[in-house]
Amino acid sequence: MVTTIARTLELSLGTGRRTDQFLARETPGNVGVALSGGGSRACVAGLGQLRALRELGLLGQVRALSGVSGGAWLTAAWTFLPDDRDDAGFFGRVVAPEALVLHAAAGEDPARAITEVPEGCFARAICDGSFGPVGLLASGHRALMRGVDMRDRWSHAVGEILFGPIGLHHVDEHGRPTAFFAADAEAAAEARRHNPWLESVRALTVHARAGDAPRPFAILNTGFVATDHAGASASVPVQGTPYFVGTVSTPPAVDRRGEAIGGGGVLPFSYGGSLVGVGEGSPRPVEVALERVYGLHDIVGCSSAFYADKVVALTPAHPLVPEYKRYRPGSAAPAGGRDFFVDGGALENTGVAALLAWSDIERLIVFVNAPRPLEVAYHGMAMVERQVPPLFGYRPFVPGLGYRPYAGIDAPTLASGTHLTSELLGALPEPLDPVATGFRNNAVFAPEAFPELLSGLLRRAKAGGDAPGVGPCAYLQRGVPVIDNPWHGVAGGRSVDVLWVLLSPASQRLDRLRPEVAAARHHTWPHYATGSTHLSPQDANLLSQFTGWVVGELRPELEVLFGRTNVLK
């Protein structure tokens, strides 16, 4: 494989990072939206959520959009949507529950039919059979026949199946990217000015079609395997944006070569290389040895790398784990080497920490499109999706034990239905749960704010009834204290407002569906398994229409977040 010397810019991003370094326009409330991971379930749920924000006239006022895994699929596709496509076609529209039908008759509005996904809607690719296990294996086989590197095959499959239909996947006969992504045409031209070899490489730029919502500061989240200060394996965050790709934090960890990590990134096209030359100035001009350009499907494939091992591994001996070269900004040349990249959800599956790494994000909407609904444990305690408690320093809920803080977090155990005292609970060993262990570095909110969230979610989801499952599972939490988190580069000493929206059924909407439409729901609706990459049209429509309805029900909270009123009605 031929190595190219790329001339690029290295951005040193220290403390006090602000999105207005890159995004100049004003956004009322400085709201960041987080789209959680969860594969096709999270992608389609997020489609409905952004669709509803668009119809409320709020999507264009979002300051930043952070996506993980399935949420990253949606974030990337919408951010870089080609200008010959529009938002109306990409999202579709929200339809009132009672107006949904199985099939639209001649002359009726096709958006009402749950058995069809309109042409141009992003959900169409997920409903295509090629995004199921057989189709993914077929894509992997085609890639094998074309000589695509084993480490690139999952990312290639994502690009081919999800992004190909909307014009965002471009590769050569060996599967190497023939397109890079950039903020705009000016940034792409500047990269080409210093690298004439990029003239033959297409540029994917942030969507700027007149009349569509202006795009927020987009963050696509992944991570790579490192070793923490205690010698344990851990994942460190990588942010992929239209402006740079890299680790903005400086976590207490080293890479597989024993080198320190983080502090910034490089222009997107030049990620995945090693440092060979250094110039003067700030941002620092550098020379990077590349085997190929870094493409959009690379960052998105890494963000959803869960499937590389779980869904489309061709043989047990050859897992499709992505592997890329990288180095730490500020290093002396030569520097860098290969590291193994992991699913963003294995590190921080909500996308919240990535938003809080930017100090001008003042309010958040957190869409947790989880595989389980809100439930009630012993003594009425709410059990929330396992990715939420670690944001407050708590381990996920354990039946009979409740919520226990991670080691080093000064917080009481929130016990539930157990005769054990808090002292005895605190002395118990770590639960044998690798996911809970992987979330141990994610505390970004003060732990004392967690009980309020639990009670608030439960109260809203009950809607005056005896159990959750009646109203939307959502809660606007005001003035949540942010704490220091060097792993993710979050600075404490401030507070933020957070609108939490958790995927959970609501009979207030289900009762409004026509009987035949309600009967068409899959038995796992709306919590389709994360491993179920392919969804039927009715699965996708019933989920996205439900999440869009939830957002519409939250209009009073949204008006507070976006500064339209100071009073929550």
Side-chain angles (χ1 to χ4, degrees):
M1 190 171 290
V2 177
T3 298
T4 299
I5 303 302
R7 292 172 174 81
T8 185
L9 287 181
E10 176 188 280
L11 284 71
S12 178
L13 298 165
T15 59
R17 290 175 298 277
R18 296 176 59 89
T19 63
D20 59 17
Q21 295 173 248
F22 306 98
L23 192 69
R25 63 188 177 85
E26 293 186 3
T27 50
N30 285 339
V31 178
V33 171
L35 295 174
S36 81
S40 295
R41 178 192 65 250
C43 182
V44 171
L47 184 75
Q49 288 151 350
L50 296 190
R51 170 194 293 163
L53 287 176
R54 175 178 178 268
E55 293 192 7
L56 290 173
L58 298 173
L59 188 56
Q61 297 181 33
V62 171
R63 182 80 195 165
L65 179 62
S66 175
V68 183
S69 196
W73 297 342
L74 177 62
T75 299
W78 181 62
T79 299
F80 293 98
L81 188 68
D83 288 348
D84 61 354
R85 296 174 177 265
D86 62 17
D87 285 355
F90 180 85
F91 286 119
R93 63 181 182 82
V94 178
V95 177
E98 55 273 11
L100 292 173
V101 295
L102 290 179
H103 308 281
E108 288 187 336
D109 181 0
R112 296 176 56 199
I114 65 168
T115 52
E116 295 291 335
V117 177
E119 186 75 35
C121 179
F122 188 54
R124 196 175 180 91
I126 287 174
C127 296
D128 190 295
S130 61
F131 203 49
V134 174
L136 288 167
L137 285 171
S139 177
H141 181 71
R142 289 193 298 271
L144 178 67
M145 294 298 97
R146 293 167 60 184
V148 177
D149 190 287
M150 178 68 72
R151 296 163 299 195
D152 294 339
R153 285 178 198 160
W154 167 249
S155 297
H156 177 82
V158 169
E160 180 179 61
I161 298 172
L162 287 187
F163 290 168
I166 57 174
L168 291 178
H169 185 59
H170 305 277
V171 296
D172 65 14
E173 66 275 14
H174 300 296
R176 293 186 293 260
T178 57
F180 65 100
F181 60 99
D184 51 32
E186 182 179 350
E190 183 67 9
R192 288 177 172 135
R193 187 170 72 84
H194 296 286
N195 299 276
W197 55 275
L198 283 177
E199 291 293 342
S200 61
V201 181
R202 184 190 302 259
L204 307 177
T205 56
V206 174
H207 183 83
R209 183 185 176 112
D212 281 349
R215 276 20 180 190
F217 180 81
I219 306 171
L220 307 172
N221 295 282
T222 184
F224 62 89
V225 179
T227 303
D228 68 15
H229 64 285
S233 178
S235 300
V236 296
V238 173
Q239 294 191 9
T241 79
Y243 310 94
F244 70 89
V245 179
T247 299
V248 302
S249 60
T250 52
V254 294
D255 61 22
R256 64 195 296 189
R257 294 164 298 284
E259 299 173 354
I261 296 166
V266 294
L267 297 184
F269 81 90
S270 58
Y271 195 71
S274 53
L275 181 68
V276 295
V278 176
E280 297 291 333
S282 181
R284 189 173 75 158
V286 295
E287 293 182 337
V288 176
L290 290 178
E291 295 174 352
R292 59 174 180 78
V293 296
Y294 189 77
L296 186 62
H297 69 269
D298 288 309
I299 184 65
V300 176
C302 285
S303 185
S304 56
F306 163 82
Y307 295 97
D309 280 332
K310 303 298 182 183
V311 180
V312 295
L314 298 179
T315 69
H318 298 286
L320 306 183
V321 176
E323 186 179 3
Y324 294 87
K325 289 182 179 179
R326 49 153 298 280
Y327 73 95
R328 183 185 186 184
S331 298
R338 290 190 176 275
D339 286 292
F340 291 111
F341 281 70
V342 298
D343 187 293
L347 170 62
E348 203 284 275
N349 200 37
T350 68
V352 167
L355 287 175
L356 291 177
W358 300 89
S359 61
D360 56 344
I361 299 301
E362 301 170 356
R363 299 170 181 179
L364 289 79
I365 304 170
V366 183
F367 292 117
V368 182
N369 294 312
R372 295 183 61 181
L374 183 75
E375 299 176 279
V376 179
Y378 306 106
H379 294 191
M381 179 173 284
M383 293 189 295
V384 296
E385 164 59 25
R386 60 171 44 186
Q387 56 200 273
V388 175
L391 297 174
F392 295 84
Y394 280 97
R395 301 180 181 98
F397 186 90
V398 176
L401 298 181
Y403 298 100
R404 297 169 53 219
Y406 282 100
I409 300 292
D410 183 16
T413 294
L414 303 179
S416 172
T418 175
H419 63 278
L420 296 176
T421 65
S422 294
E423 289 76 14
L424 288 174
L425 283 168
L428 290 173
E430 287 276 349
L432 297 177
D433 184 342
V435 175
T437 301
F439 291 163
R440 67 186 181 273
N441 296 310
N442 292 351
V444 292
F445 296 127
E448 58 267 24
F450 187 48
E452 178 202 343
L453 173 60
L454 294 178
S455 61
L457 287 171
L458 192 57
R459 185 169 58 252
R460 182 67 182 269
K462 285 183 176 180
D466 297 327
V470 179
C473 186
Y475 179 64
L476 176 57
Q477 195 170 16
R478 309 295 298 272
V480 185
V482 178
I483 62 175
D484 289 326
N485 184 312
W487 200 267
H488 291 278
V490 176
R494 57 185 170 127
S495 62
V496 294
D497 295 340
V498 187
L499 176 57
W500 300 91
V501 187
L502 275 62
L503 184 62
S504 200
S507 62
Q508 288 178 342
R509 181 182 184 277
L510 293 176
D511 292 345
R512 295 168 57 187
L513 294 175
R514 301 181 185 208
E516 65 274 18
V517 172
R521 288 178 295 139
H522 191 274
H523 71 278
T524 61
W525 178 94
H527 302 284
Y528 312 131
T530 302
S532 298
T533 50
H534 169 256
L535 300 180
S536 70
Q538 56 262 37
D539 291 340
N541 283 321
L542 286 169
L543 177 54
S544 65
Q545 289 293 346
F546 171 68
T547 56
W549 171 84
V550 168
V551 171
E553 292 294 294
L554 300 175
R555 186 167 189 162
E557 289 90 339
L558 293 168
E559 289 183 346
V560 169
L561 288 181
F562 285 94
R564 295 185 174 184
T565 179
N566 293 321
V567 180
L568 182 60
K569 300 177 182 178

